[in-house]
Structure formats: C-alpha cells, structure tokens
C-alpha cells in the first residue's frame, strides 16, 4: 500500500511541475514544409548521370543554393519510349543550404532517358516569403 501511495505522489508531482507539457514527439517549430516557388526552384540545380559501375542506375545530384535546407521526396525519369520510372527517397534526401547530395533511381538504362524531375520542398514560417532553416529557432 505504501508503494502505491508513493507511486501516486511521484506521478502527481511530475504532473504538477509541467514536465508533462513536453513530449519527445511534439514538434516545437513554426516552420511548415512547402513547395518551392518558381524563383526558389531556379536556385536549385539538378544533374543526372550514370556511374561507371552501372548503366541501369541513374544518379541524381541536387545542389541547394537556398538559404534553408531542402527535403527531396523523390525523382522521376521520363524515358524515350514514353514510359517513366519513379523512385521515392526513403528517408527523404536532405540537402542542407549550400550543399550537394545524391540519390539514385534504379532501372533507368543509360541512353533511354528523355529527361528527369526531382520533387523537393523547403521549410517556411507562415507568412514568410523565403525558405528558412527550422533548426534555427
């Protein structure tokens, strides 16, 4: 019985200190992940090619010239035959500001690609026009 009473007192004291207001899973950022505007998209550079080791794995390079990081969700290669090959990046391809990162899309044979597209987003505070860094609070 004493153990039960002690446990209840401990739980109540933790609850009264405000510790329950914070959880490990609670997001404390004002930033939202949003699509890039046309002017922001122009500041991100993309390149694609194949490594010398594989002619069926398309390497995609993303260079971020924005003031905040990017989260690239995936890429699509449009083929000369009219088809396409898409790949989601899991986890997302995170590209910090002023950095370059690479992802890969398997199943795209060298010489068969017409063009490609990469889906990237950035973070903004509501009402802000420019991408920002959610880790800088």
């Amino acid at each position: 019985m004493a153990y039960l009473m002690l446990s209840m007192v401990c739980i109540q004291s933790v609850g009264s200190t405000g510790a329950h207001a914070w959880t490990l899973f609670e997001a404390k950022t004002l930033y939202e992940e949003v699509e890039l505007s046309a002017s922001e998209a122009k500041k991100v550079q993309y390149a694609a090619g194949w490594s010398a080791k594989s002619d069926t794995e398309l390497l995609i390079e993303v260079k971020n010239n924005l003031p905040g990081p990017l989260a690239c969700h995936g890429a699509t290669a449009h083929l000369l035959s009219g088809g396409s090959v898409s790949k989601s990046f899991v986890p997302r391809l995170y590209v910090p500001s002023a950095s370059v990162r690479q992802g890969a899309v398997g199943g795209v044979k060298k010489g068969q690609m017409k063009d490609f597209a990469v889906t990237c987003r950035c973070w903004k505070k509501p009402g802000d026009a420019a991408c920002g860094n959610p880790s800088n609070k």
Side-chain angles (χ1 to χ4, degrees):
M1 185 72 163
Y3 176 73
L4 181 60
M5 291 296 283
L6 181 59
S7 296
M8 300 226 11
V9 169
C10 288
I11 290 171
Q12 196 169 19
S13 67
V14 168
S16 65
T17 63
H20 70 287
W22 180 87
T23 68
L24 181 62
F25 303 105
E26 185 176 354
K28 291 287 189 182
T29 180
L30 297 174
Y31 286 87
E32 298 174 350
E33 191 175 321
V34 297
E35 292 184 26
L36 300 176
S37 68
S39 63
E40 290 164 341
K42 289 179 183 177
K43 294 178 183 178
V44 180
Q45 297 173 333
Y46 305 98
W50 289 263
S51 75
K53 296 179 181 181
S54 174
D55 67 346
T56 60
E57 186 171 54
L58 178 67
L59 300 177
I60 306 261
E61 185 175 271
V62 180
K63 182 177 182 186
N64 182 5
N65 296 312
L66 295 170
L70 292 174
C72 297
H73 295 250
T76 300
H78 301 105
L79 306 176
L80 293 172
S81 65
S84 63
V85 177
S86 295
K87 164 87 187 296
S88 294
F89 299 132
V90 179
R92 294 179 183 150
L93 186 65
Y94 180 81
V95 187
S97 180
S99 296
V100 177
R101 296 291 186 269
Q102 288 184 343
V105 178
V108 181
K109 183 132 175 82
K110 189 174 186 176
Q112 300 300 312
M113 185 178 77
K114 179 180 177 182
D115 62 11
F116 70 98
V118 182
T119 304
C120 296
R121 300 175 76 158
C122 72
W123 287 270
K124 292 182 183 178
K125 287 182 181 178
D128 280 0
C131 294
N133 190 344
S135 64
N136 298 340
K137 296 180 181 174

